[in-house]
């Protein structure tokens, strides 16, 4: 009897018998298999049996159906076998039948860069089984790591620790990532089961490079039976007997690899173990990519904060009036010098429009200059007159520049104003350009 197992989420551990030839999976109660999770569509997936083989079809779901880290096209019939992790939204499911055995094998590989579909149908039935309940739990454990940390080193340590806990034959392992800027391979973690002083932590760079280059998950269960050209000198020097290595693939690009080896005995790994690492590769990659993105965003935020602090310091120190207003002319920011030039307190100015203090004869000039920003960019200096809070008329020279969104629409306007009476001594005072303030 084949069952559908839920590997993660609020229904983790639930199983459903696949009695008929067709079963619908989704959030709605009229499905044969109801999975109550918001990431799952009401009618998400169809599972059907044809000639003793199982197939799945995505029913145009909102969050997609994922196999080996690749989204299958809606309406596409894709063959699946027992133990293959299937992602529907954020939920992992798997079809399992416990009464089949696997054959031993010397070398085996899975091409993770090939598109899903008919090419998978040529793979042997046993080649993608993960029937061990502990293996399914491990996939869930690593998936849960996504929500627990955004630190790359911590995530890599948890992933490697989980793999060591499940695969007792592992002696050493490593997680490596490609640096996007340089293309160089960076060691995130290299771990040995016996971490004691004097042990050199290492891995086969030849195998890792091959896996990253070809995008294939590779297992060598007995290096003694491999062709000499398939091995490297380091494998012999390290006396490695069994090797597994899987690529970390994100959005159809190889981003790194998970590598493990055994030095004790040949046939240290089985096909099931390779399938386990393959199943782990997707959640592991997503976790690491999220952590890297978070780290990068923190760097950018820090740079922006430093830039903003520097900009604000410069703006507050210059002798010019520096201000920002929306496209309707309402002030939303002004520097301390603005209070001295206009006579209005800063907290009052940011609730005013330029029409509240610009002289009536100068309003058409302001409107004309603002209207020209979309085509001209920064305006040439122009002169206006304002009413000081004490009733005096103050003459200013203004320059305006637009702040635009991604579609080049003006969303705010920056301005710099200098009192015309002070222009004669402008060389003695730092202008906003000299202070480093850029419009």
């Amino acid at each position: 009897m084949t069952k559908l197992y839920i590997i993660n989420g609020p229904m983790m551990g639930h199983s459903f018998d696949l009695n008929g030839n067709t079963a619908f999976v989704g959030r709605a109660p009229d499905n044969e298999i109801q999975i109550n999770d918001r990431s799952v569509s009401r009618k998400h997936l169809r599972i059907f049996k044809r000639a003793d083989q199982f197939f799945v079809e995505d029913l145009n779901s909102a969050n997609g159906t994922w196999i080996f880290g690749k989204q299958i096209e809606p309406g596409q019939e894709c063959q699946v076998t027992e133990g293959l992790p299937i992602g529907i939204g954020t939920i992992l499911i798997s079809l399992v039948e416990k009464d089949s055995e696997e054959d031993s094998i010397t070398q085996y590989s899975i091409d993770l860069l090939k598109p899903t579909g008919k090419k998978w149908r040529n793979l042997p039935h046993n080649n993608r089984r993960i029937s061990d309940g502990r293996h399914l739990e491990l996939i869930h454990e690593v998936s849960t790591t996504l929500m627990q940390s955004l630190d790359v080193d911590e995530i890599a340590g948890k992933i490697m620790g989980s793999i060591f806990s499940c695969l007792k034959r592992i002696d050493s392992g490593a997680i490596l990532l490609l640096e996007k800027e340089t293309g160089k391979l960076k060691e995130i973690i290299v771990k040995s089961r016996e971490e004691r002083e004097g042990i050199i932590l290492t891995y086969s760079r030849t195998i890792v490079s091959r896996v990253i280059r070809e995008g294939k998950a590779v297992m060598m269960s007995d290096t003694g039976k491999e062709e000499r050209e398939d091995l490297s000198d380091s494998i012999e020097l390290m006396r490695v007997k069994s090797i597994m290595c899987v690529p970390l693939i994100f959005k159809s690009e190889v981003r790194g690899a998970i590598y493990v080896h055994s030095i004790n005995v040949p046939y240290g790994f089985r096909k099931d173990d390779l399938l386990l690492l393959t199943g782990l590769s997707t959640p592991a990659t997503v976790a690491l990519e999220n952590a890297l993105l978070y780290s990068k965003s923190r760097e950018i935020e820090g740079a922006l904060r430093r830039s903003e602090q520097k900009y604000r310091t410069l703006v507050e120190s210059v002798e010019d009036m520096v201000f920002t207003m929306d496209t309707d002319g309402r002030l939303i920011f002004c520097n301390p010098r603005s209070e001295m030039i206009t006579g209005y307190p800063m907290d009052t100015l940011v609730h005013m429009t330029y029409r509240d203090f610009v002289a009536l004869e100068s309003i058409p000039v302001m409107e004309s200059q603002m209207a020209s920003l979309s085509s001209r960019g920064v305006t040439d200096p122009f002169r206006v007159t304002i009413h000081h809070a004490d009733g005096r008329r103050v003459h200013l020279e203004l320059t305006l520049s637009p702040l635009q969104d991604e579609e080049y629409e003006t969303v705010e306007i920056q301005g710099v104003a200098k009192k015309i009476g002070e222009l004669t001594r402008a060389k003695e005072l730092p202008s906003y350009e000299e202070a480093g303030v850029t419009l």
Side-chain angles (χ1 to χ4, degrees), residues 178-191:
L178 285 172
E179 293 184 335
K180 294 182 181 180
E181 294 79 8
T182 64
K184 294 182 178 179
L185 204 58
K186 180 181 179 180
E187 298 176 2
I188 304 302
I189 183 173
V190 181
K191 178 180 175 65

Side-chain angles (χ1 to χ4, degrees), residues 336-353:
R337 182 65 175 172
S338 304
E339 185 173 331
M340 298 178 63
I341 291 177
T342 65
Y344 293 99
M346 290 174 59
D347 57 354
T348 300
L349 277 171
V350 294
H351 295 289
M352 300 173 68
T353 71

Side-chain angles (χ1 to χ4, degrees), residues 317-337:
S317 65
V318 296
E319 292 294 324
D320 302 330
M321 173 181 175
V322 181
F323 61 93
T324 305
M325 56 185 178
D326 61 24
T327 53
D328 293 326
R330 183 175 301 278
L331 274 70
I332 55 180
F333 167 79
C334 58
N335 68 339
R337 182 65 175 172

